[in-house]
Amino acid sequence: DAGITQSPRHKVTETGTPVTLRCHQTENHRYMYWYRQDPGHGLRLIHYSYGVKDTDKGEVSDGYSVSRSKTEDFLLTLESATSSQTSVYFCAISEIQGIYGAEAFFGQGTRLTVV
Amino acid sequence: AQKITQTQPGMFVQEKEAVTLDCTYDTSDQSYGLFWYKQPSSGEMIFLIYQGSYDEQNATEGRYSLNFQKARKSANLVISASQLGDSAMYFCAMRPLKGNQFYFGTGTSLTVIP
């Protein structure tokens, strides 16, 4: 199994508070991603990183920020949590896609509830 | 823009029968990869199979095969000899060769009936 660890695995927080989710990899993969999963929406990309300090927005980036100061760590921050950010968050990693493809490997997920 | 469509929210299949899960995609890219993932009720995302857009043969991995029709932009997953453990959500995804992102469909929930 790919070495990806998400922390925490579960979190309940109050509206308006900041929250940081951590993704740690031991695979030295270049790309790291944060997705959220909601019923009926599948997985939607929040932000991704293609190297240390290199990040870009996904389709649902509003209200989220990320940082990657080391190859192995990718942090997702909700600056001021809202109930609409209640979701399951997945971190994923991948290598550069070549002719043989490069699948994404996923962490176990973080279930975040904003009350 | 990239878009992945899975039109079957839920599917049922009898144990030991084959089942096809549909996936169509919309892209202007010429080179891309197509992926299928399984998500059991425990929540983890499990990679199943990969197909490159330039591969002439359909990909196979054990009981999984990918029915790839490039002109129709479809990448259907075929599961043969269904087992009870195949009950799960299944997601189709695409990654352009030049791009960094994975684009996912909304998923199909498969239930295998004993």
Side-chain angles (χ1 to χ4, degrees):
Chain A
D1 289 344
I4 312 168
T5 304
Q6 291 184 230
S7 58
R9 294 291 313 280
H10 303 270
K11 186 169 182 67
V12 180
T13 192
E14 293 186 349
T15 298
T17 61
V19 177
T20 296
L21 308 183
R22 180 181 184 242
C23 178
H24 178 78
Q25 63 150 328
T26 58
E27 305 296 321
N28 201 36
H29 281 11
R30 177 175 179 178
Y31 295 100
M32 299 187 75
Y33 308 84
W34 278 108
Y35 286 90
R36 59 177 290 174
Q37 182 179 16
D38 304 288
H41 292 276
L43 282 83
R44 293 181 292 174
L45 182 65
I46 305 171
H47 283 279
Y48 69 99
S49 170
Y50 46 96
V52 173
K53 298 186 179 179
D54 292 323
T55 64
D56 206 349
K57 297 179 180 180
E59 64 175 306
V60 290
S61 60
D62 286 350
Y64 302 94
S65 62
V66 291
S67 67
R68 189 172 180 193
S69 57
K70 297 185 290 184
T71 299
E72 58 266 33
D73 290 326
F74 193 33
L75 304 180
L76 176 70
T77 298
L78 290 66
E79 302 291 346
S80 177
T82 67
S83 58
S84 65
Q85 293 176 313
T86 292
S87 186
V88 178
Y89 291 85
F90 282 99
C91 175
I93 64 174
S94 180
E95 264 306 346
I96 297 172
Q97 182 166 225
I99 60 172
Y100 298 109
E103 68 267 32
F105 298 96
F106 285 81
Q108 319 96 304
T110 296
R111 184 171 295 276
L112 177 67
T113 302
V114 183
V115 298
Chain B
Q2 325 285 354
K3 183 176 173 61
I4 310 297
T5 303
Q6 294 181 253
T7 57
Q8 307 153 313
M11 290 278 287
F12 292 87
V13 64
Q14 205 75 35
E15 193 178 8
K16 299 180 184 177
E17 296 294 314
V19 63
T20 298
L21 306 183
D22 294 341
C23 173
T24 58
Y25 56 93
D26 187 14
T27 182
S28 57
D29 288 76
Q30 295 302 308
S31 299
Y32 46 87
L34 297 158
F35 306 82
W36 277 92
Y37 287 84
K38 172 184 178 181
Q39 186 180 42
S41 58
S42 51
E44 70 268 32
M45 294 286 290
I46 303 167
F47 165 70
L48 295 178
I49 194 167
Y50 162 81
Q51 176 87 42
S53 61
Y54 33 77
D55 293 338
E56 295 186 353
Q57 290 192 325
N58 288 340
T60 59
E61 288 287 347
R63 294 186 299 110
Y64 304 109
S65 61
L66 201 152
N67 184 359
F68 178 49
Q69 298 184 48
K70 189 171 184 177
R72 299 181 60 183
K73 293 187 177 178
S74 74
N76 299 338
L77 178 70
V78 180
I79 305 174
S80 63
S82 296
Q83 302 173 356
L84 296 179
D86 294 334
S87 293
M89 281 289 290
Y90 289 82
F91 292 97
C92 178
M94 186 197 69
R95 181 183 189 185
L97 187 65
K98 294 180 299 192
N100 305 317
Q101 301 185 30
F102 290 81
Y103 299 88
F104 284 84
T106 52
T108 295
S109 176
L110 177 67
T111 302
V112 180
I113 303 167

